Amino acid sequence: MYKVENCNDKFWCLLDVQTTMPPLLALRWLEAELFEKSLGTQKSYLDSVKLFYDFWLVKHGITLDFSLHKHKYHDIYAFVSELDAFWDYLISDKEITNVARLLTESSIQRDSMRKKRTAAKHCSVVCNFIKFLAKTYISPSYQDEHPLELRKYRSLMNSSLKEAREKFNKYQQSNKNVIDNDIMRSLTPNQYIDFISVLEPDVMKPKKIILPNGAIQIDWQLVRENKLNPINSYEVQMRNYLLTLLLVKYGLRIGESLLLRKSSFKKSETEENQWIMRVRNLNDNKLSDENFEDVRNYKPQIKTASSIRDIYISGRDYKSLMVYYKVIRSQECMHEFIFAASVSPFNPVSYSTVNTQFSTIVKSFKQHFPIHFDKQYAEAILSTITPHWLRHTWAYATMGALHNKLQKQYIQSGIVSIKGLMEDVKDKLRTQGGWSEKSTMPTKYAKRFIQENANITLMEVYNNYKPSDLFYDEYNFILFNE
């Protein structure tokens, strides 16, 4: 089998687990077309190709590279003919089967559509990979045939790939048009308040202790326990709370939060009691003051160049982060990342640890506030809450605040342009949230915001209109005596 490996944060590479060497075809594709792309894009594309390599080995019993070598790099069309089987392999949870699953419950159908969108993405990437192979190997450099014949063969190949891609794209298009509750689900104000009530750490009072050698040690005395919080360690409680604060108050992605270190914070010269949080990648000499070595197996990365940004944070939040960094987390930490593991050797905290802790919090939230998961309510939480929900919560709340602020400016300036107002709101949200120019996320938030506010306006109109009392008593009798 195969795995996608990070190569010293320079690039990602597909490796054969048994030989620990990169497969030739995937390596050539990486060098020719992926190397200049962002690390996140490299990994995403290679993950898709890895699945195709795994599928080919399971179905045919030989590696994909050897299969092409066996046919003297000519029979690339065989890869195209296997795309439908690859699709079935992905839908069937990576099993070679001819048994179709029957779907009944709506939740299962929703999960199936999500799985199809993911499979469509993988298949589209594999189409790009096959197109590269056709362009490279169906050529006079590798085939002893007339160039015109080779061109016809490539044309036939490209037509087949285009047809396959169009078939897969219909699921990707549905992903773009999927309802907001599926792709941008956020917590309502009441849900957020109750969630935070579970997440809040115990209230502790620091007590300074002077050791015999003159060193100062901080001892924490419990003032008030949060019985809703399932985490016992105060250190872990504070880490979870501060990570959540960065996501929901400042719109950071979880990976961006895990990259923060002490040097990421600079005092603002222009704004009193304000600090600037610098969202940066590691080992970028142009943008960061120092270089650090990240020992985590799965290293956090900035998503795109647009994600590199400076964010103002309050002096209070900066103080909370520094108290955790200097006092609460273990003094044995040998790194400058803000968030550290609570057990030796106290490495920077990992994605898996954060997700595990978050799942524990969500479980307690569901146990203590089941009303938020009750299907009889329109706002009921029906899918799994993830840390990214908090970023959606921030984005939607920030859009509302930006809209209100810019609306006042438009009115004061005598400008009446709803379209222009929303474009300005989207641009500011895009900058603050670190989305690229190509990202459609700000537009999706705007669409959701406009729809919900239009509905609120309409309900206000109906509520202010006094209808006739005709049949009013009869309706009450019917409604309340069923």
Side-chain angles (χ1 to χ4, degrees):
M1 290 296 181
Y2 302 86
K3 67 175 181 178
V4 179
E5 189 75 14
N6 186 317
C7 301
N8 297 324
D9 292 334
K10 301 296 183 182
F11 60 93
W12 288 84
C13 185
L14 182 65
L15 295 178
D16 187 311
V17 174
Q18 188 171 1
T19 65
T20 68
M21 297 292 290
L24 174 64
L25 303 182
L27 180 62
R28 295 200 65 179
W29 187 49
L30 169 67
E31 291 177 331
E33 298 193 1
L34 300 186
F35 200 74
E36 297 301 323
K37 296 184 181 295
S38 69
L39 290 174
T41 302
Q42 288 180 24
K43 184 180 186 305
S44 176
Y45 284 14
L46 288 173
D47 281 339
S48 299
V49 171
K50 170 197 173 295
L51 291 172
F52 193 62
Y53 267 85
D54 288 341
F55 156 76
W56 196 271
L57 183 60
V58 169
K59 182 172 182 179
H60 297 279
I62 60 175
T63 66
L64 186 142
D65 283 30
F66 181 70
S67 179
L68 190 60
H69 171 76
K70 183 179 177 182
H71 292 89
K72 298 181 180 181
Y73 298 94
H74 183 76
D75 192 16
I76 295 179
Y77 190 79
F79 298 159
V80 181
S81 62
E82 289 287 8
L83 284 172
D84 286 338
F86 178 56
W87 168 271
D88 294 336
Y89 170 78
L90 296 176
I91 297 300
S92 302
D93 295 328
K94 303 177 183 60
E95 293 182 1
I96 303 296
T97 177
N98 60 355
V99 178
R101 296 186 175 186
L102 299 179
L103 305 177
T104 53
E105 297 183 9
S106 60
S107 60
I108 298 179
Q109 293 176 345
R110 186 165 55 248
D111 290 341
S112 175
M113 287 305 301
R114 188 179 296 110
K115 185 181 294 185
K116 288 179 179 179
R117 292 194 294 269
T118 303
K121 173 260 180 186
H122 291 313
C123 290
S124 294
V125 172
V126 170
C127 285
N128 292 338
F129 176 59
I130 297 174
K131 184 177 181 180
F132 163 76
L133 296 179
K135 180 176 66 175
T136 303
Y137 291 106
I138 307 301
S139 67
S141 300
Y142 289 89
Q143 307 298 333
D144 188 18
E145 295 183 30
H146 193 280
L148 185 59
E149 293 299 320
L150 294 175
R151 187 181 303 170
K152 290 180 179 179
Y153 186 30
R154 283 198 307 271
S155 178
L156 174 64
M157 188 90 61
N158 290 335
S159 296
S160 300
L161 284 172
K162 182 179 179 182
E163 181 179 344
R165 195 192 307 274
E166 289 175 351
K167 180 170 59 177
F168 300 134
N169 278 349
K170 67 181 181 181
Y171 294 103
Q172 290 188 302
Q173 289 296 325
S174 65
N175 188 30
K176 293 181 180 179
N177 299 324
V178 69
I179 58 175
D180 293 336
N181 283 347
D182 281 345
I183 65 169
M184 296 188 302
R185 187 62 201 268
S186 58
L187 299 175
T188 66
N190 288 337
Q191 290 170 354
Y192 173 71
I193 290 172
D194 290 340
F195 181 79
I196 289 297
S197 71
V198 175
L199 185 68
E200 282 181 340
D202 299 332
V203 178
M204 306 288 279
K205 181 180 180 180
K207 181 180 180 181
K208 185 189 298 184
I209 299 176
I210 301 178
L211 301 177
N213 61 0
I216 297 177
Q217 177 180 309
I218 300 297
D219 187 24
W220 296 95
Q221 295 181 340
L222 179 64
V223 176
R224 185 175 69 252
E225 179 186 4
N226 182 4
K227 296 184 178 180
L228 299 180
N229 196 323
I231 308 300
N232 295 323
S233 167
Y234 177 62
E235 176 187 348
V236 178
Q237 287 182 356
M238 281 298 297
R239 187 186 68 200
N240 293 343
Y241 179 77
L242 292 172
L243 274 169
T244 301
L245 177 75
L246 293 173
L247 269 62
V248 78
K249 190 171 180 179
Y250 298 105
L252 265 64
R253 300 176 177 91
I254 188 65
E256 294 169 347
S257 300
L258 298 183
L259 279 172
L260 293 175
R261 54 267 193 204
K262 187 175 183 294
S263 59
S264 299
F265 298 89
K266 304 292 181 182
K267 187 170 179 58
S268 173
E269 181 182 358
T270 58
E271 298 290 336
E272 185 179 356
N273 198 31
Q274 293 278 329
W275 289 75
I276 295 176
M277 179 168 57
R278 309 174 72 200
V279 181
R280 301 286 190 268
N281 250 329
L282 297 181
N283 301 323
D284 192 333
N285 294 325
K286 294 180 180 179
L287 294 173
S288 68
D289 300 324
E290 302 177 47
N291 292 335
F292 297 97
E293 181 181 357
D294 193 345
V295 298
R296 287 172 283 205
N297 292 327
Y298 185 54
K299 297 175 175 56
Q301 293 285 340
I302 295 297
K303 189 174 182 180
T304 67
S306 301
S307 302
I308 298 172
R309 60 201 189 277
D310 291 340
I311 301 174
Y312 281 96
I313 70 169
S314 68
R316 181 177 180 178
D317 291 338
Y318 171 76
K319 181 180 179 181
S320 298
L321 287 165
M322 288 302 107
V323 168
Y324 165 80
Y325 175 80
K326 296 179 180 179
V327 182
I328 298 178
R329 74 173 199 168
S330 174
Q331 301 302 304
E332 298 180 32
C333 287
M334 303 302 293
H335 58 83
E336 290 199 10
F337 290 97
I338 297 295
F339 299 107
S342 58
V343 295
S344 182
F346 307 105
N347 288 331
V349 69
S350 64
Y351 276 113
S352 58
T353 299
V354 171
N355 286 329
T356 299
Q357 294 290 327
F358 195 84
S359 298
T360 303
I361 296 294
V362 170
K363 185 177 180 180
S364 178
F365 174 52
K366 187 173 184 179
Q367 176 184 349
H368 290 96
F369 299 97
I371 189 172
H372 297 315
F373 299 83
D374 193 333
K375 294 182 179 180
Q376 69 172 312
Y377 299 109
E379 300 86 355
I381 301 172
L382 302 179
S383 54
T384 304
I385 304 176
T386 66
H388 207 66
W389 276 47
L390 301 176
R391 178 169 157 87
H392 290 320
T393 303
W394 165 85
Y396 191 60
T398 301
M399 171 156 278
L402 288 172
H403 180 271
N404 293 337
K405 179 180 178 180
L406 292 177
Q407 187 179 46
K408 292 179 182 178
Q409 295 178 2
Y410 268 56
I411 293 174
Q412 291 174 357
S413 302
I415 301 173
V416 182
S417 174
I418 299 299
K419 183 177 180 181
L421 172 61
M422 289 310 301
E423 288 301 318
D424 282 351
V425 170
K426 288 192 293 182
D427 287 343
K428 289 186 179 296
L429 183 67
R430 185 186 305 278
T431 301
Q432 293 184 24
W435 284 288
S436 68
E437 288 295 330
K438 295 181 180 179
S439 175
T440 60
M441 290 306 296
T443 300
K444 291 179 179 179
Y445 287 120
K447 179 181 178 182
R448 174 183 168 190
F449 180 82
I450 291 172
Q451 288 175 339
E452 293 189 5
N453 278 269
N455 184 61
I456 291 173
T457 302
L458 189 61
M459 292 303 296
E460 289 177 349
V461 172
Y462 285 150
N463 291 336
N464 291 330
Y465 172 71
K466 186 176 181 180
S468 169
D469 290 337
L470 185 64
F471 301 132
Y472 184 78
D473 293 334
E474 287 81 353
Y475 279 135
N476 276 341
F477 177 83
I478 295 172
L479 289 173
F480 298 109
N481 291 274
E482 289 182 343

